Amino acid sequence: NALMQGEAESRARKQSLEQQIAQNEERLSTIKARKESAAAALEELQGQNENQGVIDGLRSKITEMEALSEKLSASIEETEHKTEAAEDATAKAREALKVAENKKSEITAEIAMLESFLAEDKDGGFSPVLDSVTPDSGFEKALSRALGDTLLASLEEDAPVRWVARKNVSDMPPLPNGAQALLPHVQAPKELHLALSQIGLVDDEDQGAALVEKLMPGQALVSRAGTYWRWDGYSVQAQASDRNAQHLEQKNKLKELNTKRPKIEGAFDKAGAALEKAIEAESALEDTQKDLINQRRENEQSMTQERAKLSELRESQARFDSKISGLQQNLKTANEDMQTLSEVLKWDNDRLSAYEKETADAKDENLDDIKVSLSEARETYQDAIRAFDLYQQEQNTRKARLHAISDERINIQNRAIRSRERLKQLEERKVSLLDKQKELDAQPQDFKDDKEKLLSEISKLEQERTQAAEKLAKSENEVTETGRALKQAEAQLAESREARAHAQATLAVIKEQRDSLSVSITEQFEVGPDQLKNHAAIDLEKEHEGLESLKSKKEKITRERDNIGPVNLRAEEEATELEKEVTTLIHERNDLIKAIEELRGAINKINKEARERLVSAFEHVNAHFQRLFVQLFGGGSAHLALIDSDDPLGAGLEIFAQPPGKTLQALSLLSGGEQALTSIALIFGMFLTNPSPICVLDEIDAPLDDANVDRVCNLLETIAARGETRFLVITHHRLTMARMDRLYGVTMAERGISQLVSVDLQQSFSFLEEAA
C-alpha cells in the first residue's frame, strides 16, 4: 500500500511542478506590463510639487506662536503660584484678624461685665471705700475677711456709714511675734491705716491658732487663705463665702485687663492693615493673570487657524507624496517580483529535472520484508502499552495514599490543637468555679448582718413616713381651700376682663368708622366733617330730591375721572431702575464669560496633569506587567497598549500577550488558563505600582493547573517577603493551602454546630521536626 501510494504521490508532484511553472511564467509577463505603466505615471507626477515652500513658512510661524504660548503659559503658571501664595497670605491675614477681633471682643466684653458688676455695688449714691482699696494679688480674700462689711462704708462726710481718720493715736499694742501687719500689702486711704496696722498676717491656720491667745484688744489675725481670728474669740473659716473678696478680685482683674487692652487693640488694627494689603496684592495678581490668559487665548486662536491651514497643505502634500511613493513602491515591488519569479522558475525547472531522474533510477523494494518488520513492531508496541498502563495505575495508587496520609495528619493536628484549647478552657472554668464556691460559702453570714441593718432602717423610715403623711394631709387641705378661693377669684377676673374687652372692641369699631368717614369727607370735599354743612350749596334739610340727583351726578363724574386712569409719576424712576438692571445683567454676562474662560483654562490644566499622571502610571504598570508575565509563564512576552485614540484620556486599553511557543495576540484569543495567568500578572502589576497593607484574593487559582498554581504561589511569596503587604487567600486548592503560613477553616464536628479552625503551618512543621 505504501509503495502504491508513493507512486501516486510522485505523479501528482510532477504534475504540480509543471502546473506551477506555467503559472509563474504567466505572472512574470503580467508584472512586466504593470512595471511599464507605473514608470510612465511616476515620470508624469515628479514635475508637480509646489506646496513645500508654503508648508515650511507656516511651520516656522507656528513654532514662534507655540514658543509664545509656552512663555505665556509659564507666566500664567507663575502668576497662579503667586496668586495662590497671595490667597494663602490673605487667608492667614483674615484668620489673624479674626483671632485679634475675638480677643478684642472677649476682653471688651469682660471689661464691660466687670465694670457693670463693680458699678452695681454702689449703695445710695455714696462710693464705698472698697473702690479706693487695692490689695496685692493673692491678698484679696485676706483683706475682705479682715475688714468685712466695713469695706462698704464711704469716705464722704454725708454718708450714713463712713470712715474717719483718727488723730493723735499712739501707744498701740504691737502684734504677736511671727505675725506681720496687713498694711504693707494693701494700697488704702489713710483712714484705714490704723485698722490695717492692727491686723496681723499669718502663713497658715496652725500659726494663727498658736498666736490667737496673744492678741491684744482691737487686734486680729488673718491668713492668705481667708481664715480670720479676732481678739474677743470671733473667728471665720476660710471656706465661708465672702462677696467683698470677689469684688476685690474683680477689681484687680479689671485693672489687669485695662493694661492688656491697648496691646490687643493695636494687634487688631495691625491685622486689619495687613489684611487690606494682602487683598490689594491678590487683586493685582488676579488682574495680571486675566490679562495673560486673554493674550494666550488670542495667540491660541491665531495658532489654531494657522494649524488648520498647515493641516490642509499637509494633507494635499501627503496625498501627492503618497501617489509618488505608491508608484515607486510598485516599481520596486515589480522588480523584486520579476527577480523572484525568475529564480523560482529556474529552481522549479531544476527540481523537475532532478525529480524525473530520481524516479527513473528508483528500484522496487522487498514488500515481504516490510510486512514482517511491521508485524513485529506492532506486537512490541502492544506490550509496551500494557506495561505503561500497569505502571500508571501503581503511580496513581501511591499518590492517592500520600494524599490520604497528608489529610489524616492535618486532622490529627487539628484535633490536638482543639484538645489543648479545651483543656485550657476547663482549667479556667475550674478556677472560676472554686472562686464562686468561696463567695457562696461566705454569703449566709453577710445576709444575716444585712437583714438586721435593713430591719432597723425600715422601722426608722416608717416613722418618718407617718410624720410626713400627716404633714402632707394638712398641707393638702390648705391647698384645697386656697385653690377653691383662687378659682372663684379667677372666674370674677375673667368676667371682668371679658366685659372690658367687649367694651374696648365696640369703642374701637366706632372710632374706626368715625375716622374712616372723616377721611372720606376730607378726600372728596377737601373740608372737615364739622365744616361740611357750611360749604353745602343747597339746603340739605329742604331739598331732599335734589340731593339724590346731585349724588348720582357726582358718582358719574367720579367714574369718568377714574376711567381716565392715574398718571404714572414713577415712570422716570422705573426707567432708571431698568437701566440699572440692564447694566447689572451686562456686568454679570461679562463676569460669566470670564468665569467660562477661567474654567476652560482650569479644565485644560487638569486634563494636562491627568494625561501626565495617566501616562506615568501606565508606564509603571506596563513595566511590572511585562516582568511578571515572563515570571509566571517562564518566558514569552506581553505589553499593554492604548488604542482607539491619541489622547490617553479617551483611549482604550488592550492587552497583547505572547506565551512561549505562540504568536503575539490579544487577550481574548488566549485559552482560559492563559487568560487567568495574564490577568494575575496585570493585577499584581497595578498592585506593585500602588501597594496596600492588605490584599484579598478570591479563588484566583481555580482555572490553573498544578504547575501554574506553584508559579503564582512563588510570586505571592516574593511580594509578601518585601514586608509591605499581607495576603488573605480564599482557595480550595491543596497546593495553595500547603504554601500558606496559616490556615483558617470552618468545620462542623457536630450536626448544626460550626466551629472555626486555625492552623499555623510553620509552627506545626517545627513541632513535627522536634518530635521527629
Side-chain angles (χ1 to χ4, degrees):
N1 291 335
L3 290 174
M4 294 175 65
Q5 186 177 359
E7 182 66 21
E9 290 179 355
S10 298
R11 288 195 300 271
R13 289 176 62 188
K14 182 178 179 181
Q15 293 176 359
S16 175
L17 287 173
E18 292 174 350
Q19 185 178 3
Q20 187 173 357
I21 290 170
Q23 291 177 354
N24 288 335
E25 290 176 350
E26 185 178 357
R27 288 178 61 193
L28 183 60
S29 61
T30 304
I31 291 171
K32 287 181 180 179
R34 190 173 62 192
K35 176 183 175 182
E36 294 174 356
S37 175
L42 178 62
E43 185 178 358
E44 181 181 357
L45 288 174
Q46 283 180 344
Q48 304 175 0
N49 190 4
E50 301 175 353
N51 295 329
Q52 191 62 39
V54 180
I55 291 174
D56 294 337
L58 287 175
R59 283 178 177 173
S60 61
K61 186 175 180 181
I62 290 173
T63 303
E64 294 176 357
M65 297 175 75
E66 287 177 349
L68 178 60
S69 179
E70 291 178 357
K71 184 177 179 181
L72 291 173
S73 298
S75 301
I76 290 171
E77 187 174 358
E78 183 180 359
T79 308
E80 286 178 353
H81 293 319
K82 291 181 179 180
T83 304
E84 291 176 358
E87 290 176 354
D88 295 338
T90 303
K92 292 179 180 178
R94 188 174 283 108
E95 186 66 23
L97 178 63
K98 185 177 180 181
V99 172
E101 185 178 4
N102 292 336
K103 290 183 178 179
K104 180 182 177 182
S105 301
E106 290 175 0
I107 194 171
T108 303
E110 193 169 0
I111 288 174
M113 181 180 64
L114 291 175
E115 288 177 348
S116 64
F117 285 164
L118 295 176
E120 290 176 357
D121 290 337
K122 295 183 179 180
D123 186 14
F126 297 101
S127 298
V129 73
L130 185 63
D131 296 339
S132 303
V133 176
T134 305
D136 293 343
S137 181
F139 290 88
E140 296 89 351
K141 194 168 185 179
L143 176 62
S144 176
R145 191 56 53 81
L147 295 181
D149 291 338
T150 59
L151 290 171
L152 300 178
S154 178
L155 298 176
E156 301 176 13
E157 294 181 358
D158 297 336
V161 181
R162 64 193 181 98
W163 284 88
V164 179
R166 296 290 304 275
K167 299 179 180 180
N168 300 325
V169 178
S170 59
D171 298 333
M172 297 299 296
L175 292 171
N177 292 332
Q180 300 177 359
L182 185 60
L183 180 60
H185 299 286
V186 181
Q187 298 177 9
K190 60 182 179 179
E191 288 83 357
L192 274 68
H193 286 184
L194 180 60
L196 294 173
S197 64
Q198 293 300 305
I199 299 173
L201 182 66
V202 295
D203 296 333
D204 50 27
E205 295 184 2
D206 295 337
Q207 185 181 6
L211 298 178
V212 68
E213 299 297 335
K214 299 179 182 180
L215 292 175
M216 301 298 291
Q219 293 180 345
L221 296 174
V222 68
S223 67
R224 292 183 63 175
T227 305
Y228 177 73
W229 301 270
R230 204 164 64 186
W231 65 276
D232 55 0
Y234 176 74
S235 64
V236 181
Q237 296 296 323
Q239 60 268 23
S241 60
D242 195 337
R243 183 173 179 274
N244 295 329
Q246 296 177 359
H247 182 97
L248 293 172
E249 291 175 356
Q250 292 172 355
K251 183 179 178 182
N252 284 341
K253 189 173 182 181
L254 178 61
K255 182 179 179 181
E256 182 181 356
L257 292 176
N258 284 324
T259 304
K260 294 180 180 179
R261 185 174 187 175
K263 183 178 179 181
I264 294 176
E265 290 178 348
F268 173 73
D269 296 337
K270 185 177 180 181
L275 178 59
E276 292 179 358
K277 185 176 180 182
I279 292 174
E280 291 176 358
E282 181 181 354
S283 177
L285 288 172
E286 289 178 351
D287 295 338
T288 304
Q289 184 179 2
K290 290 178 181 178
D291 294 338
L292 291 172
I293 290 173
N294 292 330
Q295 294 178 10
R296 185 179 67 178
R297 183 174 63 253
E298 294 173 357
N299 183 63
E300 288 179 351
Q301 291 176 354
S302 302
M303 188 165 55
T304 303
Q305 296 175 358
E306 298 298 330
R307 282 177 176 171
K309 295 179 182 178
L310 178 61
S311 178
E312 293 177 358
L313 292 174
R314 278 180 176 176
E315 290 178 358
S316 177
Q317 184 67 23
R319 289 192 296 270
F320 185 80
D321 294 339
S322 177
K323 290 180 181 179
I324 294 178
S325 62
L327 292 174
Q328 291 176 349
Q329 184 65 29
N330 290 336
L331 288 173
K332 183 178 179 182
T333 303
N335 290 327
E336 292 176 354
D337 291 344
M338 290 173 65
Q339 184 179 358
T340 302
L341 285 174
S342 298
E343 293 176 355
V344 169
L345 284 171
K346 182 180 178 181
W347 182 71
D348 287 342
N349 289 322
D350 294 341
R351 190 171 57 168
L352 180 61
S353 300
Y355 179 76
E356 290 176 350
K357 183 179 180 181
E358 180 182 359
T359 304
D361 296 338
K363 297 180 179 180
D364 295 335
E365 296 181 357
N366 191 349
L367 296 178
D368 295 334
D369 295 338
I370 293 174
K371 290 180 180 180
V372 173
S373 299
L374 178 61
S375 177
E376 292 176 355
R378 284 177 178 173
E379 291 177 357
T380 304
Y381 174 70
Q382 293 296 330
D383 295 337
I385 288 176
R386 286 192 295 270
F388 178 74
D389 291 339
L390 291 174
Y391 174 76
Q392 192 171 13
Q393 290 177 2
E394 293 176 356
Q395 185 71 15
N396 292 333
T397 303
R398 285 193 294 270
K399 286 183 179 180
R401 181 57 181 165
L402 287 175
H403 289 320
I405 292 171
S406 177
D407 295 338
E408 187 176 357
R409 185 185 65 178
I410 293 173
N411 290 332
I412 292 172
Q413 290 174 356
N414 293 335
R415 290 175 62 188
I417 292 171
R418 290 196 297 271
S419 299
R420 286 195 294 271
E421 292 178 353
R422 182 61 177 170
L423 287 173
K424 186 177 179 181
Q425 293 175 359
L426 291 175
E427 290 292 336
E428 294 176 353
R429 187 177 178 187
K430 179 181 177 182
V431 173
S432 62
L433 289 175
L434 291 174
D435 295 338
K436 185 71 173 180
Q437 183 180 5
K438 291 180 181 179
E439 293 177 0
L440 293 174
D441 292 338
Q443 281 183 359
Q445 184 63 31
D446 295 339
F447 288 158
K448 185 176 180 181
D449 297 339
D450 294 340
K451 180 179 179 182
E452 294 177 355
K453 292 180 181 179
L454 291 173
L455 289 174
S456 61
E457 290 180 0
I458 288 171
S459 62
K460 183 177 179 181
L461 291 173
E462 285 180 350
Q463 293 177 0
E464 294 178 354
R465 185 179 65 82
T466 303
Q467 296 176 0
E470 293 176 356
K471 293 181 179 179
L472 178 62
K474 184 177 180 181
S475 301
E476 287 179 349
N477 294 330
E478 294 177 354
V479 168
T480 302
E481 295 177 358
T482 306
R484 190 180 298 109
L486 179 62
K487 288 181 180 179
Q488 294 177 358
E490 286 178 350
Q492 295 176 0
L493 178 61
E495 293 176 357
S496 301
R497 286 178 177 175
E498 185 177 356
R500 185 184 66 179
H502 182 71
Q504 289 177 348
T506 304
L507 180 60
V509 170
I510 294 173
K511 287 183 178 180
E512 185 178 357
Q513 292 176 353
R514 185 195 63 185
D515 295 338
S516 176
L517 184 60
S518 175
V519 170
S520 178
I521 292 172
T522 304
E523 289 178 353
Q524 294 182 9
F525 302 104
E526 297 181 356
V527 294
D530 52 349
Q531 300 176 358
L532 181 62
K533 185 176 181 180
N534 298 330
H535 288 75
I538 58 175
D539 190 356
L540 298 177
E541 296 179 355
K542 295 181 179 180
E543 299 182 7
H544 296 289
E545 296 179 358
L547 182 61
E548 293 297 331
S549 61
L550 290 174
K551 185 176 179 181
S552 60
K553 185 177 180 181
K554 171 191 169 292
E555 291 177 354
K556 180 179 178 182
I557 295 172
T558 302
R559 285 195 301 272
E560 291 176 354
R561 184 193 65 184
D562 293 338
N563 291 331
I564 296 174
V567 178
N568 189 2
L569 302 177
R570 297 187 69 258
E572 185 177 358
E573 295 179 0
E574 291 177 355
T576 305
E577 291 177 357
L578 290 174
E579 289 178 357
K580 290 181 180 179
E581 290 180 1
V582 171
T583 305
T584 304
L585 291 174
I586 293 173
H587 288 314
E588 290 178 353
R589 186 195 64 181
N590 296 332
D591 292 340
L592 286 175
I593 293 173
K594 292 180 180 178
I596 291 170
E597 296 296 334
E598 294 176 357
L599 182 59
R600 288 176 178 171
I603 291 172
N604 293 332
K605 182 179 178 182
I606 292 171
N607 289 339
K608 180 181 177 182
E609 184 176 358
R611 290 188 186 96
E612 294 175 354
R613 291 188 179 183
L614 178 59
V615 171
S616 176
F618 175 78
E619 292 175 354
H620 284 86
V621 172
N622 192 20
H624 289 302
F625 171 65
Q626 294 175 3
R627 178 176 59 82
L628 295 178
F629 182 88
V630 175
Q631 181 177 351
L632 287 175
F633 280 86
S637 63
H639 68 276
L640 304 176
L642 296 175
I643 60 173
D644 298 336
S645 177
D646 295 334
D647 187 1
L649 296 179
L653 180 66
E654 184 62 60
I655 304 172
F656 295 97
Q658 184 179 4
K662 293 188 177 182
T663 60
L664 184 66
Q665 52 193 338
L667 179 64
S668 59
L669 301 177
L670 299 177
S671 64
E674 291 171 344
Q675 288 182 358
L677 276 184
T678 306
S679 302
I680 291 171
L682 178 59
I683 290 171
F684 281 108
M686 292 186 290
F687 189 77
L688 290 175
T689 304
N690 187 17
S692 64
I694 189 169
C695 178
V696 181
L697 303 175
D698 187 2
E699 295 287 353
I700 64 169
D701 53 1
L704 304 179
D705 55 10
D706 293 349
N708 289 327
V709 169
D710 187 62
R711 291 177 181 176
V712 172
C713 292
N714 291 334
L715 178 60
L716 286 176
E717 290 180 352
T718 302
I719 299 175
R722 298 169 59 182
E724 296 179 355
T725 305
R726 302 190 69 178
F727 290 94
L728 180 62
V729 183
I730 302 171
T731 181
H732 291 89
H733 204 286
R734 52 186 177 80
L735 291 181
T736 306
M737 290 189 286
R739 298 288 294 273
M740 297 296 105
D741 295 332
R742 183 180 290 274
L743 295 179
Y744 296 92
V746 178
T747 182
M748 188 179 291
E750 301 179 15
R751 184 177 180 83
I753 300 176
S754 298
Q755 185 177 2
L756 179 66
V757 179
S758 63
V759 180
D760 189 344
L761 295 183
Q762 302 298 327
Q763 183 178 0
S764 300
F765 292 153
S766 301
F767 176 75
L768 291 175
E769 291 175 359
E770 293 177 359

